[in-house]
Amino acid sequence: MLIIESYTTAVILLIITMLCWGSWANTQKLATQKWPFQLFYWDYTLGIVLLSLIFSLTIGSNGELGRSFWEDLQQAEGSALQSAFIGGVVFNIANLLLVAAIDIAGMAVAFPVGIGLALVLGVIVNYVAVPVGNPWILFGGVLLVTVAVVLDAMAYRQKEQGASVSNKGLWLSIVAGVLMGFFFRFVAASVATDFEYPQAGLMTPYTAVFVFSIGIFLSNFLWNTFFMYRPLKGEKVSYADYFSQGNLRLHLIGILGGAIWCVGMSFSMLTSEQAGFAISYGLGQGATMVAAAWGVFVWREFAEAPSKTQRLIYAMFTFFIVGLALVIMARII
């Protein structure tokens, strides 16, 4: 299987992770103009499963290093399979809340608040489990990201000042972020720390991400069904609507969104041997800055905001960039 052998390569792949995790939601923006996000989300989860399976059967099985996908899946212990599966279940409810928050508050708010909180919690949880990197530099970067989250929340409140809207989107982002901060640890616990000679019972990153994706897809019958019939915004939808309202273009957009996200997840797990789980997760969650940039510069979500609000947004980007730079340096210094 393909294994990353240098920290520099790992950082490059984590930057791609950051771009993928920060950009997939644009497919939701494209699709949900005429397509409820609950229906979009079925295709999104399918895209995650398909891409994880493709990776497992190709780069996850070719070569002499590590274990092939089928061999790895067959030897995995029940505790490892369960941990990766639970990670998918936890991620799914967190991501559904995040998608709902995007639908209500926009990308420039939902991502910085939700994923920013997930970054902080995720780095702490994963560093405690597997302490890799300089803690002072790592958590200094996390602190700056926390400041960026606060600035974004302040900008949102200023933007909506005087408007007849609730803070539902902001609160959904917060709850999503708290849950999102813990899913990665479940998956990481199922992954061997040595990819070339993986420990018996644990899985390679490719197999773990596939089992994780199955947890997402199966739990969708619980979590997404609830959102379909008890929506937080808009009218309820049914399974019949998925077939009667959808078309090939809409389905492909959703599958593309899931595939984009899964590329990021696969790279994040694959780089963890070189970077450590805390840095791998933390740097990938720089997606917050990428998503906020889409929301501000492409979707123009703050175009009508006063100048002082826009200054807060630019300050947020500054703190995020410096914070993420420190996260990268934590493995070097």
Side-chain angles (χ1 to χ4, degrees):
M1 69 179 202
L2 175 65
I3 293 176
I4 305 305
E5 298 182 352
S6 75
Y7 183 61
T8 300
T9 303
V11 169
I12 292 172
L13 291 184
L14 286 172
I15 291 173
I16 295 174
T17 291
M18 182 172 64
L19 293 172
C20 288
W21 281 358
S23 300
W24 72 263
N26 288 299
T27 60
Q28 180 200 348
K29 280 278 191 178
L30 293 172
T32 54
Q33 294 175 7
K34 298 181 179 179
W35 186 236
F37 89 83
Q38 300 95 323
L39 302 183
F40 159 86
Y41 200 80
W42 279 107
D43 295 320
Y44 171 81
T45 57
L46 182 60
I48 295 176
V49 173
L50 290 175
L51 197 284
S52 67
L53 182 59
I54 290 171
F55 270 9
S56 295
L57 295 175
T58 54
I59 58 176
S61 296
N62 296 329
E64 298 179 355
L65 301 178
R67 284 192 293 256
S68 67
F69 170 59
W70 292 117
E71 177 189 359
D72 195 45
L73 188 62
Q74 290 171 353
Q75 66 81 49
E77 293 181 354
S79 58
L81 294 169
Q82 182 182 30
S83 187
F85 184 89
I86 291 174
V89 175
V90 174
F91 167 81
N92 202 25
I93 181 59
N95 205 43
L96 273 166
L97 290 172
L98 179 64
V99 171
I102 292 170
D103 206 31
I104 294 171
M107 286 177 65
V109 172
F111 257 83
V113 175
I115 303 302
L117 283 174
L119 186 153
V120 173
L121 291 174
V123 168
I124 293 173
V125 169
N126 284 284
Y127 189 86
V128 170
V130 184
V132 175
N134 185 312
W136 294 102
I137 297 176
L138 178 61
F139 290 107
V142 170
L143 177 62
L144 293 182
V145 171
T146 304
V147 173
V149 171
V150 173
L151 290 174
D152 186 76
M154 292 170 59
Y156 174 68
R157 295 187 70 87
Q158 286 189 10
K159 171 178 174 284
E160 302 297 347
Q161 200 168 38
S164 57
V165 297
S166 70
N167 288 323
K168 182 187 291 185
L170 185 59
W171 283 109
L172 285 175
S173 302
I174 292 172
V175 175
V178 171
L179 291 172
M180 193 74 74
F182 290 94
F183 89 88
F184 196 85
R185 175 87 303 262
F186 285 105
V187 186
S190 72
V191 177
T193 54
D194 186 339
F195 295 170
E196 185 173 354
Y197 302 103
Q199 298 96 315
L202 296 176
M203 295 181 283
T204 69
Y206 302 98
T207 308
V209 171
F210 174 73
V211 176
F212 163 79
S213 73
I214 297 300
I216 294 174
F217 184 76
L218 293 182
S219 67
N220 213 38
F221 287 94
L222 173 63
W223 304 133
N224 200 21
T225 298
F226 175 83
F227 282 99
M228 288 170 65
Y229 291 93
R230 299 290 296 271
L232 297 174
K233 177 184 176 184
E235 302 294 327
K236 68 179 182 179
V237 295
S238 67
Y239 283 98
D241 294 331
Y242 177 84
F243 299 99
S244 63
Q245 296 182 20
N247 56 51
L248 181 61
R249 177 180 175 274
L250 288 174
H251 292 311
L252 288 177
I253 288 175
I255 292 172
L256 176 63
I260 290 171
W261 188 89
C262 192
V263 169
M265 179 62 180
S266 299
F267 285 179
S268 183
M269 296 305 301
L270 187 59
T271 57
S272 61
E273 184 181 30
Q274 293 296 326
F277 289 114
I279 294 175
S280 180
Y281 179 77
L283 183 54
Q285 292 293 28
T288 314
M289 182 185 67
V290 177
W294 280 105
V296 171
F297 300 114
V298 177
W299 300 109
R300 309 292 295 171
E301 292 172 352
F302 281 80
E304 305 300 324
S307 58
K308 65 176 182 179
T309 302
Q310 295 184 5
R311 284 195 294 271
L312 286 174
I313 291 294
Y314 290 115
M316 177 204 73
F317 284 131
T318 301
F319 277 100
F320 260 119
I321 291 171
V322 177
L324 291 173
L326 289 177
V327 170
I328 293 172
M329 293 170 60
R331 188 68 173 89
I332 301 173
I333 300 177

